[in-house]
Amino acid sequence: MAEKNLKITPPKKVAGGVEAVVSSLEHVFSEVGVVEGTKALLKLNQFEGFDCPGCAWPDPDEHRSVVEFCENGAKAVAEEATEAKCDVEFFKMHTVSEMSEWTDYEIGKSGRIIRPMILREGGDHYEPIKWKDAFQLIGNKLKSLASPNEAIFYTSGRTSNEAAFLYQLFVRMYGTNNLPDCSNMCHESSGVALTETVGIGKGSVTLDDFYKTEVIVIIGQNPGTNHPRMLSALQKAKKNGAFIININPIPEAGLIGFRHPQNPLDLIGKPTQITDLWLQVKINEDVALLKAINKLLLEEEKKNPETVDDEFIKEKTTGYENYVKELNKHNLDDLIIRSGVEKESVLQAAAVLARKKRIIVCWAMGLTQHKNAVDNIREIVNMLLLKGSIGKEGAGTCPVRGHSNVQGDRTMGIYEKPSPQFLASLKNTFGFNPPKKNGYDSVESIQAMHDGKAKVFFAMGGNFLSATPDTEFTAKALQKCDLTVHVSTKLNRSHLVHGKTAVILPCLGRTESDKQGGEEQFVSVENSTGVVHKSQGHKEPASEYLLSEPKIIAELAKATLENSEHPILKWDEVVSDYDHIRNLIAKTIPGFEGYNGKVRKDGGFYLPNGARKGEFNTTTSKANFTVNALADHKLKEGEYLMMTVRSHDQYNTTIYGLNDRYRGIYNGRRVVFMNERDAFTEGYTTGDHVDIVSNYDGIERKAEDFTVVIYPIPRQNIATYFPEANVVIPYNHVARGSQTPISKSVIVQLRRK
C-alpha cells in the first residue's frame, strides 16, 4: 500500500499561470486528442455549448471569453470525453475481484462504459445485457418489493434539471420519498441554516455582486483547487478595490497569489495577491472566531454608531436581543484563544468589517461537515445581519456548490423531505397522491441497507461508496442489497462493491450530442447563484448503445409502474422532446413559468430569491438572529482533529492524477499533513509512515499506511485526502439538524508503522 514513488516538495504560493495551461492541455489532448479536445474546450461554458461537468461556479451573464473554463474544468472534460473504452472485451479480461484491488485512479482511467452490463449473482465478470432486458429485470424487482420504501434512489449533482425532475416524479409515482443525494454529504448544512435564518436554502449573491463589494470573506473553502474560475472573479474584485479575508486552517496557493492562465500579461511580472488578511483558524473553531469578530463589532458600535446597521436590524430582523445577550456571556480573549488565530489578526479583521457595508461571505465544505456545521453557517448570517449586508448590491451569502447541478437537483424536487407545497403541486399537476412520509437521507440509507430494510439501491450518477463515510460499513450495506443499479458514464468503485445482482446503465455525458426522435436536444442546469441555463453537447456519443438520463428514466418508469401511461404523463412522448419536460416543470415549480422561452436566452434566467431582495420568507417573515454553540471537541494527549480535503488532481471522487502540485505532493495520495511541533513531540518527520485510527462508539476504524508530511497546519490538527481517509469517518456521527457526516472534524490517533 506504501507509495514508493511519492515526492514531496515545498508548497507553492501562486495558482494558475503557465503550469495550469500545460496541465489542462496535457489532460485533454492525452484523453481526447488534439482536434476533438480543442473542439470540446471551445464549447465549454459557452452560450451554445455545454455546462462544465465540474463545479457550479457561475458564468458571466453576458460577454464570455472564448476560453471560459479553468484547469479542473478541462480535466473534467478530458475525463468524460476520453477515447478509452470499457467495452465487452475489457469486462471479459478483468474480474470484479481483480478490479476491486485497483486504486480509484486506476479504476477511473479504465474509460467510458459503452454497453449496459450485468453482474449476475455469484458471478465475477460483468456481462452485456440488452437495454430491454435490463429495464425488465429492474422493473420486476421493484414491483416485487413488499413496499416501495425498500428501494433507495440516489442522485449525484451531475444530473440535469430535466432528468432530475423526471426521476423524482417516477420515484414518487412508484411510492417513496427515498431520494437521498450528494447534497446530504456537502451543503445540506448550508440549506438548513439559510432556510431557517433568511428563508431560502441558497446563496443570495450574483456574480456581478463580487465586482461591487467592499469585502469578501472566504471561509472553509479552497477555490484554487475546488472552484478555480472563482480566482478570476476574486482577481477582478481586487482590482475594483475589494478587501479579501481568508479564514482557513492551512495556506492554499490559490488564496495567496494568482496568475490568470488565459491572460498573457498575467504570466509575467508579479502575480495578483488574493488574500489581504489570513486568519489561520483551528479546524472547526469557526464559531468561536466569528463570535469574537461579532463581539468586536458590537463594542465598536458603542464608539461609532454606524458600525452596525441598526435600521436594518430593527426593520428586517428578529432575535437580536437574545443574540446579544448570549454573546455577552463570552469572554473575548477566551474566544480568540479557542480559535487559534492571533489576536492582532482578529482585531484587524473586525476593524475592516466595521468600516464596510457591502460584504460577501463565501464558504464550502470546510464549514458544512462538522457536528456543529449548521451553527457555523448561522453565525456567518449573524455577522451579515449585524452589518445589514444582505439584500443589497455587493453583499450577501455565497455557499459555493461543489457539483455542477447539485443545486438544480434540489430545486427539481430531489429531496427526501419534500415540502407539503411541493407535494401538493405534484398532485395538482399530475393527478396522483405522492407519498408524504419522509424518506431516507444518505446516512439513513446506509443504515437501512445494512439492516436489511432496503433491498434495492439505484444511483443516478455518482460514486456513492467513495463519496460516503465509513467505507467498510457502507460497503457491507451495499453488499446486503438484492440489486444495485448505477447510471454511469465511467467505471467507479461503487460498481465493484455491489448487491447480489448489479447492473450498470451507461448514459450520455454532458459533452455528447443527445438526439431524441432524430432532433437535437438540450438540457438545463442551475449554478451557485440561482441562474438556470442551457447545456448542449455536440460530440459524437462514445457508443451507439448509450441512452440519455431522461430516456433511461422513462424506460424504467414504463417497466415499473403498473399504469405507466398516465393521462398527463405519456413517458415516450415526454422524452421525445425535452421541451415537454420543461413545460411540466413550468406547471409544477414556481419560478419556471415560461421555462422554454427563458432558458433559450443567452445566459438563461435567475430564479426568484427573496433574500437577494431583502425579503425573508422565514417562519417570522424576517431574517432571524440565532444563538449558536461552540464546537465541543475534547482532544486528549496524542489525539488529533482530522479534516479530509481534495487534491488539485481530483474533483469530488474522480481522481484525475496523482499530483497535488499546489501543496507539493507528487505521485501519491496517502499522506497526512501534520504540524511541525506536533511531529517533533511525537518523534515523526516527513516521510515516516503511520496508520490513522479513530474510535467511535467502541469501534476502531483504521486507514493504513499514510506518509507524514510536515505542513503549516495548527497544532493537534491534521489533514488527509478523501476518499482514502473516509474509512475512519463514522457514518453515524453527523451535523445537528442536517445529518451531514463529520468528514472535516474526526478525532483520530496516529500509529507508527
Side-chain angles (χ1 to χ4, degrees):
M1 193 174 292
E3 295 171 321
K4 297 179 181 178
N5 297 319
L6 181 68
K7 177 183 175 183
I8 302 166
T9 67
K12 295 186 180 299
K13 296 183 179 180
V14 179
V18 174
E19 283 186 307
V21 177
V22 172
S23 176
S24 300
L25 297 181
E26 282 181 347
H27 276 82
V28 173
F29 293 165
S30 65
E31 296 274 9
V32 190
V34 175
V35 175
E36 290 300 318
T38 301
K39 287 180 181 179
L41 290 178
L42 293 177
K43 287 289 185 181
L44 181 53
N45 293 322
Q46 299 301 317
F47 291 130
E48 296 302 321
F50 61 93
D51 189 59
C52 180
C55 80
W57 186 252
D59 307 302
D61 289 336
E62 297 175 356
H63 174 72
R64 295 189 182 177
S65 163
V66 70
V67 280
E68 194 65 59
F69 58 86
C70 67
E71 177 185 351
N72 269 12
K75 291 176 181 176
V77 168
E79 195 76 12
E80 180 186 290
T82 179
E83 294 297 311
K85 301 287 192 298
C86 280
D87 54 17
V88 174
E89 291 303 314
F90 172 90
F91 285 109
K92 282 183 180 178
M93 187 182 304
H94 302 291
T95 65
V96 172
S97 301
E98 174 196 349
M99 292 186 289
S100 296
E101 298 299 316
W102 297 356
T103 65
D104 288 82
Y105 172 68
E106 291 168 326
I107 294 169
K109 289 301 178 185
S110 300
R112 288 289 297 275
I113 303 170
I114 61 173
R115 292 278 293 270
M117 305 298 293
I118 183 169
L119 179 66
R120 301 186 188 276
E121 187 170 356
D124 203 23
H125 281 276
Y126 273 100
E127 306 167 2
I129 184 174
K130 294 180 180 179
W131 276 109
K132 181 180 178 181
D133 294 340
F135 290 127
Q136 186 175 18
L137 182 152
I138 300 164
N140 287 344
K141 182 60 184 178
L142 290 174
K143 287 187 285 188
S144 74
L145 297 178
S147 164
N149 292 321
E150 290 185 338
I152 291 167
F153 298 89
Y154 177 75
T155 319
S156 87
R158 187 202 66 203
T159 305
S160 68
N161 287 341
E162 291 76 7
F165 183 79
L166 283 190
Y167 188 50
Q168 64 81 30
L169 183 60
F170 154 66
V171 170
R172 292 190 167 106
M173 284 183 166
Y174 173 63
T176 184
N177 283 315
N178 287 347
L179 282 159
D181 72 332
C182 55
S183 281
N184 296 150
M185 292 175 283
C186 57
H187 269 291
E188 196 71 64
S189 301
S190 300
V192 170
L194 292 173
T195 299
E196 178 186 350
T197 56
V198 298
I200 185 170
K202 306 178 182 183
S204 67
V205 300
T206 68
L207 182 59
D208 197 50
D209 284 320
F210 279 83
Y211 311 138
K212 299 175 180 177
T213 191
E214 295 175 295
V215 180
I216 301 171
V217 180
I218 300 168
I219 178 169
Q221 185 199 2
N222 174 20
T225 286
N226 301 326
H227 315 95
R229 281 196 301 153
M230 183 176 172
L231 294 182
S232 59
L234 296 177
Q235 184 185 53
K236 185 174 177 179
K238 288 280 297 191
K239 290 178 179 178
N240 290 347
F243 189 97
I244 297 180
I245 300 173
N246 163 25
I247 303 174
N248 267 310
I250 57 178
E252 301 288 8
L255 289 172
I256 300 172
F258 175 60
R259 295 185 191 276
H260 199 309
Q262 296 162 6
N263 184 349
L265 295 178
D266 238 22
L267 303 182
I268 57 176
K270 293 181 64 176
T272 300
Q273 177 187 322
I274 297 296
T275 294
D276 293 292
L277 177 62
W278 176 35
L279 308 183
Q280 189 176 23
V281 68
K282 291 181 179 177
I283 292 174
N284 198 27
E285 289 298 348
D286 306 276
V287 171
L289 176 59
L290 291 165
K291 280 180 181 283
I293 291 172
N294 289 347
K295 196 173 178 68
L296 286 165
L297 291 176
L298 290 173
E299 288 182 5
E300 181 65 21
E301 165 76 359
K302 297 172 184 176
K303 296 179 283 185
N304 181 1
E306 294 186 359
T307 300
V308 170
D309 193 333
D310 293 314
E311 183 179 352
F312 176 88
I313 292 170
K314 183 178 180 180
E315 293 183 1
K316 297 282 190 177
T317 76
T318 187
Y320 175 69
E321 291 79 9
N322 285 339
Y323 173 69
V324 173
K325 182 179 179 181
E326 194 276 337
L327 194 59
N328 286 336
K329 294 178 182 178
H330 295 280
N331 178 274
L332 177 63
D333 287 335
D334 289 345
L335 291 172
I336 294 175
I337 290 169
R338 278 195 63 139
S339 76
V341 181
E342 293 290 333
K343 184 173 183 177
E344 186 58 37
S345 296
V346 179
L347 294 174
Q348 186 180 349
V352 170
L353 293 167
R355 298 191 302 268
K356 307 298 183 182
K357 296 295 184 184
R358 299 193 304 277
I359 301 165
I360 293 174
V361 183
C362 306
W363 69 91
M365 286 183 282
L367 288 193
T368 64
Q369 294 182 322
H370 306 279
K371 185 177 179 180
N372 63 321
V374 174
D375 299 78
N376 285 336
I377 287 91
R378 294 193 312 189
E379 198 61 36
I380 286 173
V381 174
N382 285 339
M383 184 179 77
L384 292 172
L385 296 183
L386 285 175
K387 296 297 300 179
S389 292
I390 189 167
K392 65 173 60 169
E393 193 175 67
T397 57
C398 186
V400 184
R401 306 288 175 171
H403 211 320
S404 59
N405 198 40
V406 62
Q407 186 161 300
D409 286 352
R410 184 57 58 87
T411 302
M412 292 296 106
I414 300 292
Y415 191 30
E416 74 279 357
K417 302 180 183 69
S419 70
Q421 294 85 354
F422 182 77
L423 296 180
S425 187
L426 286 180
K427 181 179 180 180
N428 291 337
T429 303
F430 298 100
F432 77 105
N433 291 309
K436 295 181 180 178
K437 181 183 177 182
N438 285 350
Y440 297 132
D441 61 25
S442 292
V443 168
E444 292 165 342
S445 294
I446 296 170
Q447 186 69 63
M449 289 187 286
H450 199 274
D451 292 345
K453 294 179 181 178
K455 302 181 186 304
V456 174
F457 179 82
F458 189 104
M460 184 61 65
N463 180 359
F464 187 77
L465 178 62
S466 293
T468 50
D470 220 334
T471 311
E472 291 182 9
F473 188 89
T474 302
K476 290 176 182 176
L478 288 165
Q479 289 166 339
K480 289 186 177 183
C481 290
D482 292 337
L483 175 66
T484 51
V485 184
H486 291 84
V487 178
S488 304
T489 55
K490 299 191 71 178
L491 194 68
N492 65 52
R493 191 164 297 281
S494 294
H495 303 138
L496 309 177
V497 179
H498 50 80
K500 295 182 180 70
T501 300
V503 177
I504 305 174
L505 305 178
C507 66
L508 294 171
R510 286 271 181 89
T511 60
E512 291 170 320
S513 171
D514 180 357
K515 289 184 179 180
Q516 303 296 329
E519 297 294 327
E520 292 279 357
Q521 304 295 319
F522 70 86
V523 294
S524 58
V525 295
E526 179 185 346
N527 66 33
S528 280
T529 59
V531 176
V532 176
H533 59 97
K534 64 185 291 190
S535 174
Q536 185 169 19
H538 296 272
K539 189 176 184 291
E540 188 70 20
S543 163
E544 62 181 311
Y545 295 102
L546 303 184
L547 296 182
S548 71
E549 288 182 327
K551 180 66 172 176
I552 289 172
I553 296 161
E555 294 299 322
L556 180 62
K558 287 162 56 183
T560 306
L561 303 179
E562 291 294 338
N563 299 308
S564 62
E565 291 303 310
H566 191 280
I568 293 180
L569 194 70
K570 298 183 184 298
W571 292 97
D572 286 332
E573 182 180 322
V574 165
V575 297
S576 67
D577 184 338
Y578 295 171
D579 277 2
H580 298 326
I581 308 174
R582 288 185 284 271
N583 284 335
L584 294 173
I585 294 171
K587 291 180 181 179
T588 309
I589 303 178
F592 286 86
E593 300 80 6
Y595 195 175
N596 274 309
K598 292 189 293 187
V599 79
R600 281 176 162 83
K601 296 178 181 178
D602 286 351
F605 63 98
Y606 283 88
L607 289 174
N609 189 310
R612 185 172 292 156
K613 299 187 295 182
E615 299 170 0
F616 304 108
N617 299 312
T618 64
T619 55
T620 63
S621 298
K622 291 189 175 184
N624 296 315
F625 279 93
T626 52
V627 172
N628 300 302
L630 296 168
D632 58 358
H633 306 295
K634 296 178 176 62
L635 297 179
K636 301 173 185 176
E637 186 176 347
E639 289 185 335
Y640 300 88
L641 202 60
M642 181 193 82
M643 66 176 180
T644 58
V645 299
R646 297 176 186 160
S647 80
H648 192 64
D649 249 1
Q650 81 178 93
Y651 195 78
N652 293 341
T653 60
T654 302
I655 312 301
Y656 299 138
L658 299 178
N659 298 333
D660 189 358
R661 70 173 187 272
Y662 289 161
R663 297 192 184 105
I665 306 299
Y666 296 86
N667 305 319
R669 294 178 50 81
R670 301 186 73 83
V671 299
V672 52
F673 298 101
M674 188 177 189
N675 176 276
E676 184 176 24
R677 290 175 61 192
D678 285 340
F680 178 80
T681 300
E682 298 293 332
Y684 293 126
T685 188
T686 290
D688 287 347
H689 289 256
V690 297
D691 292 337
I692 305 172
V693 180
S694 70
N695 194 315
Y696 283 83
D697 307 318
I699 301 172
E700 181 175 287
R701 298 168 173 86
K702 184 190 297 184
E704 297 185 352
D705 205 359
F706 282 65
T707 300
V708 171
V709 177
I710 306 301
Y711 212 74
I713 187 171
R715 296 206 66 177
Q716 283 195 282
N717 288 180
I718 60 173
T720 54
Y721 295 128
F722 112 103
E724 286 79 4
N726 283 10
V727 66
V728 301
I729 304 169
Y731 81 98
N732 57 344
H733 284 251
V734 296
R736 295 185 297 268
S738 72
Q739 286 272 97
T740 300
I742 58 167
S743 303
K744 290 286 192 289
S745 53
V746 184
I747 297 175
V748 300
Q749 293 178 310
L750 302 181
R751 292 181 185 168
R752 188 182 298 275
K753 292 293 290 182

